[in-house]
Amino acid sequence: MNEMTSPKDMVTTTLKDWETDQEVRWCPGCGDYAILKAVQRTLPQLGADPAKTVFISGIGCSSRFPYYIESYGFHTIHGRAPAFATGAKLANPELDIWLVTGDGDGLSIGGNHLMHVLRRNVNMQIMLFNNEIYGLTKGQYSPTSREGTRSPSTPLGSVDHPARPAAFALGAGARFVARGFDVSKKLPEVLMAAHAHQGAAFIEIFQNCIVYNKDVFDDFAAPKGAEDRQLWLENGEPMLFAGGRQGLTLDRDELCLKVVEVADGDWEAAGVIVHDVTNRIIAHMLVEMPFGPFPMALGVLYDDLRPTFESGVIEERERATTGKTADLVKLLGSGQTWTVSGTAADPV
């Protein structure tokens, strides 16, 4: 439970209370529709108050989000949503802030701003929709596009090595990092875990761009048939996938994760490790696993608290103002001052 929604502050709402009168305008079949519904279903479960909830976005398909949530919201400028969100949180720490960005908006022009909101640990939920393409501007390759991606800006195929959003977040000092995908029934659980975290909670959401990068995540996120390639992480539970027939073990000689077979459900005998959300090193290993030989790690990868940025700022303000009386006239008249005499008609 987020500090903004203690039991006495919780508000009873329904999904309908979070729907606006605006026509939802994404391409038919876009994964953003599923994410929108997941968020609208999650907010009532959190007891969130529309009067204290703010959705802030940058530029891109994902950034239309504030129009479709019945709360306060800002559709800001390209890559700068973290700066606006930080300002809003400092101005009114009681606000429950959700930042919405995409792989292009958040990791290209906005990479610097995203890095700083994570390292500062400003208390908000940051949803990065990753479709591995620039959808709004007609399909150019993005920072997360895979090598060989053909697009209007890379007609012969991208030669860039793609950025990994979750690895970026961990490297920037994020204290909460999670993954989900658009049509997953478990996405609301991930969002609730992020909201319960006190600090900057980063959620990478794989999102299908039906027009420019269709079905690129089907190997692990297809509605049917991909479950065996998903590793849903639960704190304190063994890292099992493929219906419990396989798991991850830590090779302590090579210091790497490896896939092992699990016989008769005996995961301990197979050496399968138990997920510890406070283990940052294992979290790095999980986000760097190459998909194919390994499953896709989903759910909460890392969750380890530290004081929030705004709490430190508030404490500093209190120390600086304790025992002092605000006097603007005295402040303006202090230090070096000048008195200007004469009239406009006097020669200079």
Side-chain angles (χ1 to χ4, degrees):
M1 182 178 297
N2 192 287
E3 62 185 11
M4 298 301 105
T5 53
S6 60
K8 64 182 179 66
D9 296 327
M10 292 180 70
V11 174
T12 300
T13 61
T14 67
L15 182 150
K16 292 290 184 183
D17 293 318
W18 295 94
E19 295 178 339
T20 71
D21 60 359
Q22 299 297 301
E23 178 187 359
V24 182
R25 298 182 63 186
W26 285 306
C27 299
C30 175
D32 287 351
Y33 286 98
I35 300 172
L36 175 63
K37 284 302 177 187
V39 172
Q40 289 172 330
R41 290 190 180 98
T42 301
L43 291 166
Q45 297 180 62
L46 298 173
D49 183 352
K52 293 183 179 180
T53 302
V54 186
F55 280 79
I56 299 177
S57 65
I59 295 295
C61 297
S62 64
S63 295
R64 299 185 63 82
F65 222 80
Y67 295 106
Y68 308 138
I69 298 285
E70 189 61 44
S71 68
Y72 290 102
F74 292 93
H75 188 175
T76 69
I77 53 181
H78 206 184
R80 273 67 173 187
F84 285 85
T86 299
K89 190 66 177 180
L90 290 178
N92 186 355
E94 292 189 0
L95 295 176
D96 185 12
I97 294 180
W98 296 74
L99 192 154
V100 187
T101 186
D103 48 301
D105 180 64
L107 292 175
S108 185
I109 191 170
N112 182 53
H113 292 278
L114 183 59
M115 175 184 73
H116 292 304
V117 78
L118 291 171
R119 72 169 181 83
R120 286 176 175 145
N121 201 35
V122 186
N123 192 13
M124 65 180 72
Q125 295 74 241
I126 302 166
M127 299 187 295
L128 185 144
F129 299 4
N130 181 13
N131 57 19
E132 296 186 1
I133 208 76
Y134 276 103
L136 185 68
T137 51
K138 306 301 184 285
Q140 300 92 334
Y141 88 117
S142 83
T144 59
S145 294
R146 302 175 193 187
E147 294 176 25
T149 297
R150 292 181 179 271
S151 75
S153 52
T154 55
L156 301 180
S158 169
V159 297
D160 277 3
H161 180 69
R164 295 177 182 264
F168 172 88
L170 284 168
R175 310 300 297 187
F176 180 100
V177 178
R179 274 176 172 164
F181 60 91
D182 47 16
V183 297
S184 171
K185 294 180 180 179
K186 295 186 179 183
L187 183 56
E189 296 177 20
V190 176
L191 297 174
M192 292 180 72
H195 190 267
H197 178 84
Q198 302 300 301
F202 179 86
I203 315 107
E204 177 186 6
I205 305 175
F206 297 105
Q207 176 255 321
N208 186 28
C209 177
I210 198 73
V211 175
Y212 297 110
N213 216 14
K214 184 181 179 182
D215 301 335
V216 71
F217 303 118
D218 266 7
D219 283 347
F220 68 88
K224 294 181 180 179
E227 295 82 6
D228 283 358
R229 296 179 290 280
Q230 300 169 12
L231 169 59
W232 282 98
L233 299 161
E234 295 283 348
N235 190 40
E237 296 296 325
M239 295 187 188
L240 295 169
F241 62 100
R245 300 185 303 276
Q246 292 180 304
L248 294 184
T249 189
L250 177 63
D251 187 317
R252 287 172 171 77
D253 293 327
E254 299 183 19
L255 293 179
C256 65
L257 297 175
K258 290 187 176 181
V259 175
V260 293
E261 300 295 325
V262 178
D264 301 321
D266 193 349
W267 59 268
E268 289 180 293
V272 175
I273 58 175
V274 172
H275 185 43
D276 176 3
V277 292
T278 66
N279 191 321
R280 192 179 190 87
I281 295 174
I282 296 296
H284 271 285
M285 291 182 177
L286 288 167
V287 301
E288 294 289 355
M289 290 190 308
F291 181 71
F294 292 89
M296 178 57 67
L298 300 163
V300 178
L301 294 97
Y302 182 65
D303 185 357
D304 194 13
L305 291 172
R306 76 170 182 190
T308 63
F309 179 67
E310 67 275 11
S311 64
V313 171
I314 292 169
E315 182 182 342
E316 183 180 61
R317 287 174 183 168
E318 291 176 348
R319 289 199 309 268
T321 57
T322 298
K324 298 179 181 179
T325 302
D327 189 334
L328 182 60
V329 174
K330 183 178 179 181
L331 177 64
L332 292 174
S334 64
Q336 291 181 314
T337 60
W338 293 265
T339 301
V340 180
S341 60
T343 66
D346 293 338
V348 178

